[in-house]
Amino acid sequence: MEKNKKEEIKKKSSKKKKSCEIGPLSAKERQKKAYNIREKAALVQKDLPLPAHLCNGDEDLFSNKIGNYSKGLPHNSLGEVDLNAYKTLIKSLTTGNPATFESIPLGGTVKLTNPQSAYAFDLVSPDSYSLSMIAPPKFNSAWIASEMAELYWQALTRDIPFADYDTNILTLAAASDLSNFPDFRGPKENGVVTPSTLFRGNTPGDLAGPYISQFLWKNIPYGAATIIQRNRTTLSGDDHMTSYEEWLDIQDGKPPTSQNQFDPEPRYIRNGRDLSEWVHRDFSYQSVLNACLILLSFGQEALDPANPYLHSKTQIGFTTFGGPHILDLVARSTNAALKAAWFQKWLVHRHLRPEEFGGHIHNNKIGASHYPIHQELLDSQAISHVYSKFGTYLLPQAYPEGSPTHPAYPSGHATFVGAGVTMLKAFFNESFVIPNPVVASSNGLTLLPYSGSPLTIGGELNKLASNIALGRDAAGIHWRSDGSEGMKLGEAVAIRILQDYKKTYNENFSGFSLTKFDGSTIIIK
């Protein structure tokens, strides 16, 4: 009897347990469909035409590598890189051998920033090799001369409130001087730079309303807390790397001997110094995370009209087409964008930083070298003003350490904010007018009501991207082209991610639509 019971229990336990899932597909069918979706997305990426990755030719043109990034390597007294060290860097980048990277000679203790990430792959988003950029400006071009003049003026005007640009003597001089550069590619009115266009971006919405985006001023709903966007900033006149010895040490990778001096009073962003300090301390997707939280607080009226749950009688979005979905794609797009940027930085362009160019200008002006720097820049008012104030022709830096230890083009900040902003434009209604807009007071201690023309989500997201990119310029560490082209690269990454995901949703969804930075509309179905 006992033996029969044991055999019966054994038979029952050996029977296959019944699965409890329900739905239109069996587990096997679901597995196959998941595979097919992934395979199709991979095949789309595989079959894309591979672009040519063109550089500006400076690395071949100048045997002393003055047109290329070399910070952190050893240099001579002119700030020209040790060629053996540079060759080792190029060998490491060419082979991708991790051991070779460990043999790169450094000039100090500061290390290079993550060159091997240029080889990283991703399972979602385009491969870095499949995205291209235009070449950055050449060392001897009128284009780079105009951008460097703008950087000198941004350094000179860091402490001037944006609200005072129309009346301040320095910003008026900056607008006048930049208007004299035929190849200056910033925004203009009737063919000239004005205080209203000064240091702004070229995207739709950049010239509307205050200089700073609403997303950098308005309170941020952060779970059970609220973040007030009054931030720590540095004191007026806190400029660095204006002595030649200090500049040369920093180029070699020696740590700075000075530190930032901080304002005891937190302030809303009101000038270039505040903005440059904000992008000094932020984490990669902080700006777009904050913007996303603000946008979600506006309610469903601010969502994109194509959101499939806006007109549902029984459901709301959450894991798909709701807050968690949007927050996730915003974050993951920014890291994918950084991988694309690092490929361009290290494996294609190796473009020099503005601070490096400033050293070459200084040596030219004092007669220590004779580099082919465009005469428009050497004759500009900007250089004269800098010399009068600091006694050198170096580009004054907002950060003691100057730029990070990776090449300039494209800007990492611009690339990741370009990706995050593009994601937000896909999920939110770009024409929605932002309620209760504000503007910071000239001292940055209060927010005042803004009563000008309506400010839309699309325009203020574009402005946010430009603020983040140009904030790095205000610090002296990036070029305008690093930002404008980096934003486009990030945008391309985000669009490809949206394309990868378009077949993963069950909802009746007509597709994403958004306005690109160039003003054109794209629909992803």
Side-chain angles (χ1 to χ4, degrees), residues 141-169:
S141 67
W143 181 10
I144 204 170
S146 71
E147 291 199 7
M148 191 66 179
E150 181 181 39
L151 291 171
Y152 277 118
W153 282 117
Q154 283 182 284
L156 289 164
T157 59
R158 280 186 190 125
D159 296 314
I160 299 171
F162 299 122
D164 297 344
Y165 272 21
D166 286 343
T167 56
N168 187 276
I169 189 171

Side-chain angles (χ1 to χ4, degrees), residues 259-297:
Q259 296 180 338
N260 279 126
Q261 300 300 309
F262 293 103
D263 189 334
E265 191 77 49
R267 299 178 192 270
Y268 293 103
I269 298 173
R270 39 100 204 218
N271 58 26
R273 191 174 300 281
D274 296 348
L275 181 59
S276 64
E277 183 58 17
W278 199 95
V279 294
H280 191 198
R281 309 291 173 179
D282 62 322
F283 57 82
S284 59
Y285 56 95
Q286 182 176 340
S287 59
V288 284
L289 169 63
N290 293 349
C292 188
L293 294 173
I294 292 170
L295 287 169
L296 289 170
S297 75

Side-chain angles (χ1 to χ4, degrees), residues 35 109 129-130 138 151 173 194 202 218 230 248 281 292 326 345 384 439 448 450-451 470:
Y35 173 82
T109 58
Y129 280 63
S130 71
K138 294 175 177 288
L151 291 171
T194 70
N202 287 303
K218 292 181 78 68
R230 281 180 61 179
L248 190 58
R281 309 291 173 179
C292 188
I326 305 170
K345 281 175 178 288
S384 299
V439 60
L448 308 171
Y450 167 74
S451 57
L470 288 162

Side-chain angles (χ1 to χ4, degrees), residues 143-154 178 181 353-359 361 377 382-383 393-395 479:
W143 181 10
I144 204 170
S146 71
E147 291 199 7
M148 191 66 179
E150 181 181 39
L151 291 171
Y152 277 118
W153 282 117
Q154 283 182 284
L178 291 175
F181 287 82
R353 290 279 181 167
E355 71 189 55
E356 296 174 299
F357 196 62
I361 292 169
L377 176 59
I383 285 182
Y393 298 99
L394 301 169
L395 178 63
W479 307 94

Side-chain angles (χ1 to χ4, degrees), residues 377-395:
L377 176 59
L378 297 177
D379 294 340
S380 71
Q381 295 179 41
I383 285 182
S384 299
H385 276 75
V386 165
Y387 186 81
S388 296
K389 184 174 182 179
F390 296 102
T392 67
Y393 298 99
L394 301 169
L395 178 63

Side-chain angles (χ1 to χ4, degrees), residues 190-206:
N190 299 319
V192 297
V193 180
T194 70
S196 297
T197 68
L198 191 64
F199 310 144
R200 294 205 185 207
N202 287 303
T203 67
D206 262 312

